[in-house]
Amino acid sequence: MNIGLIGFGSMGKTHAWCIDNLKYFYRDLPFEAKVTAVCSGHRDSTDRAASFLGCTPHYCEDDIINDPEIDAICICTPNIYHYETLKKAITAGKHIYCEKPLCITYPQAEEISKLAKERGIVNRIVFNNRFLPAIMKAKELVDNGRLGRIISFRGEYLHSSAADPNRPAGWKQNREICGAGTLFDLGAHVVDMMQYLCGKITSVKGSSQIAFPERLGGDGTPWQTNADEAFYMICKTENGSMGTIEVSKLVVGSNDEFNFSVYGEKGSLKFELMNPNWLYFYDSAAPNGSFGGDRGYTRIECCGRYDLPGGIFPSFKAPIGWLRGHMHSMYSFLEAIHAGTASRPDFADGASVQQVLELALYDDENRRI
């Protein structure tokens, strides 16, 4: 499979690394995949990316999309550009691997989801955290009824990247490019995870926060902050469970802290992305007794325990990291293309998340607290 890469920032490098290294992590791959073309934001950055990857530079994304030798497209551009690129790639019949959020509005995302389904292409929205073994174990426990009816949940994604008022703003803090700030960036991951484990969110109350209304812009001149630096939500699912979601880039001392808890009638789950090898599970069916009996949270050693053909390198017992979730997401996408099967999370999942984000944004703008 020949892959065309549109965008070569941090996520473009992540996608390329995954494609290049699949052969080390999966035994007897039934397909070969290679990045054969790249297009970045400028001619010089495209040339550097092509030289680094050893592939063909394209100075217009249309040249990659319309290249008959390209089988699949990876979209790693800023949010505002996704919609038009997606439409063109779907029309060209390319399979698509797109970074979140799918689009910057729900109508756009819903349109893209429908177009992809009509065209019959394999489509994937990159919610890479689903592909960590601890999360796959959490989903297994939920689906097998080990938690019973879900009653409540808490999710948070905390960074410190906007906590320094002297740090210039990037494009993810500019609403004209990102659509919304931390809500769309970190919030997309948390909303997807809570829907994945707890059911579709049907109502949401939202409130945004801008702690530093003025900071330097990318050009070094004073700039008025126009996108949320933190966002807070109260959510209710179609199953009746309720929960809170907090996403913030204002938390001093945080790195990449995606944490959640899910509470059911029969059990509970806890997960921390900074400790990704472990899932914590409380089983209320465990016998009680003297000094607590066998009650308490069990720390399940998920580590790198993927089913074959994964889990062979470095070892299923070795500590896992952030890149491994991206790797397994890419593998399952390409395997779906090879097998001609559907791929999840797909654009419909991306549209569902976008709907929740937009409801939260609407509530914030029309009912401030």
Side-chain angles (χ1 to χ4, degrees), residues 127-144:
F127 290 129
N128 52 288
N129 293 304
R130 288 197 190 192
F131 295 91
L132 294 169
I135 303 303
M136 298 164 80
K137 182 63 178 180
K139 179 64 171 172
E140 178 186 85
L141 290 168
V142 170
D143 288 351
N144 289 342

Side-chain angles (χ1 to χ4, degrees), residues 212-347:
F212 303 105
E214 183 176 295
R215 64 171 71 229
L216 294 179
D219 60 358
T221 61
W223 182 75
Q224 296 296 314
T225 304
N226 63 6
D228 59 273
E229 297 172 324
F231 208 97
Y232 310 87
M233 290 177 271
I234 300 174
C235 309
K236 186 174 183 178
T237 72
E238 61 186 356
N239 303 320
S241 61
M242 296 192 67
T244 60
I245 292 175
E246 174 186 352
V247 290
S248 177
K249 295 186 177 181
L250 297 169
V251 183
V252 174
S254 290
N255 289 296
D256 194 34
E257 297 184 16
F258 177 26
N259 312 314
F260 67 79
S261 303
V262 179
Y263 303 102
E265 288 182 305
K266 299 179 180 179
S268 303
L269 294 172
K270 292 182 181 181
F271 173 78
E272 299 176 349
L273 184 59
M274 294 299 289
N275 293 292
N277 296 290
W278 316 106
L279 177 70
Y280 291 84
F281 172 52
Y282 184 94
D283 185 357
S284 65
N288 202 350
S290 59
F291 312 112
D294 293 334
R295 293 284 179 91
Y297 277 94
T298 298
R299 189 176 77 162
I300 303 174
E301 52 176 39
C302 300
C303 301
R305 297 177 187 272
Y306 291 100
D307 291 336
L308 291 174
I312 60 170
F313 177 81
S315 163
F316 67 86
K317 296 183 289 186
I320 202 164
W322 178 83
L323 276 170
R324 192 64 180 89
H326 274 285
M327 169 71 78
H328 199 60
S329 175
M330 180 64 74
Y331 163 76
S332 67
F333 168 70
L334 296 176
E335 198 278 332
I337 295 175
H338 172 75
T341 58
S343 170
R344 297 286 300 274
D346 59 12
F347 290 173

Side-chain angles (χ1 to χ4, degrees), residues 175-205:
R175 188 164 178 172
E176 294 178 0
I177 300 175
C178 63
T182 303
L183 176 65
F184 278 16
D185 187 23
L186 305 182
H189 280 299
V190 186
V191 168
D192 175 68
M193 187 61 65
M194 296 300 93
Q195 291 201 133
Y196 186 52
L197 297 176
C198 304
K200 180 173 175 55
I201 295 172
T202 53
S203 66
V204 60
K205 299 294 183 182

Side-chain angles (χ1 to χ4, degrees), residues 18 83-84 87 89 150 174 176 222 230 252 255 270 358:
C18 292
Y83 174 66
E84 293 297 337
K87 282 204 302 183
I150 304 299
N174 186 344
E176 294 178 0
V252 174
N255 289 296
K270 292 182 181 181
E358 196 158 301

Side-chain angles (χ1 to χ4, degrees), residues 77-84 86 98-112 125 171-172 174-181 183-185 188 350-351 353-359 361-362 365:
T77 53
N79 307 346
I80 197 171
Y81 304 118
H82 288 186
Y83 174 66
E84 293 297 337
L86 285 161
C98 183
E99 275 297 326
K100 55 77 193 165
L102 186 61
C103 299
I104 61 169
T105 70
Y106 174 62
Q108 288 180 347
E110 183 71 2
E111 178 188 350
I112 290 300
I125 181 77
W171 70 262
K172 289 186 178 182
N174 186 344
R175 188 164 178 172
E176 294 178 0
I177 300 175
C178 63
L183 176 65
F184 278 16
D185 187 23
V353 168
Q354 192 67 38
Q355 183 180 34
V356 175
L357 299 177
E358 196 158 301
L359 286 171
L361 195 62
Y362 179 85
E365 292 175 341

